[in-house]
Amino acid sequence: QVQLVESGGGLVQAGGSLRLSCAASGRTFSSYVVGWFRQAPGKEREFVAGIRGSGGSTYYSDSVRGRFTCSRDNAKNTVYLQMNSLKPEDTAVYYCAADRSLFLPIMSVSYAYWGQGTQVTVSS
């Protein structure tokens, strides 16, 4: 069983930056793939970024590639999402999710464990 807790959300002006953290319980978290998703009001949850456990390879959606960076510190059981050049359309609740997988799924149904979410609001 893995428990995830996100933090780092808040209100920021367009062009600003935030760093989200996803802290996990469990001694084997380093082997889990972690995905970041977001959901804006009235919209479906969408994949934003992800990082594999072994090797730490990453993948990003087209909407955030070049602006967001996903990383992990396995010693701290924490995954980060550095968000730069934020835009109003990035406003959403951001969730981290984890699963045992050799791949990096982009579908939310592929993840068994979810955090509670953290609100990110970007003002224009």
Side-chain angles (χ1 to χ4, degrees), residues 60-72:
Y60 302 92
S61 67
D62 289 344
S63 61
V64 308
R65 187 174 294 116
R67 300 188 297 122
F68 291 12
T69 302
C70 190
S71 62
R72 67 191 304 157

Side-chain angles (χ1 to χ4, degrees), residues 45-116:
R45 189 168 298 187
E46 64 171 347
F47 174 85
V48 174
I51 186 165
R52 294 178 62 185
S54 59
S57 59
T58 55
Y59 183 76
Y60 302 92
S61 67
D62 289 344
S63 61
V64 308
R65 187 174 294 116
R67 300 188 297 122
F68 291 12
T69 302
C70 190
S71 62
R72 67 191 304 157
D73 184 338
N74 288 331
K76 295 182 178 180
N77 271 9
T78 302
V79 171
Y80 304 98
L81 184 67
Q82 177 68 42
M83 306 186 296
N84 299 329
S85 302
L86 283 161
K87 305 175 181 180
E89 51 264 43
D90 294 317
T91 295
V93 177
Y94 283 70
Y95 300 89
C96 66
D99 202 86
R100 286 186 174 274
S101 175
L102 296 178
F103 307 103
L104 206 166
I106 63 172
M107 301 292 291
S108 60
V109 295
S110 300
Y111 290 85
Y113 305 104
W114 288 82
Q116 82 288 353

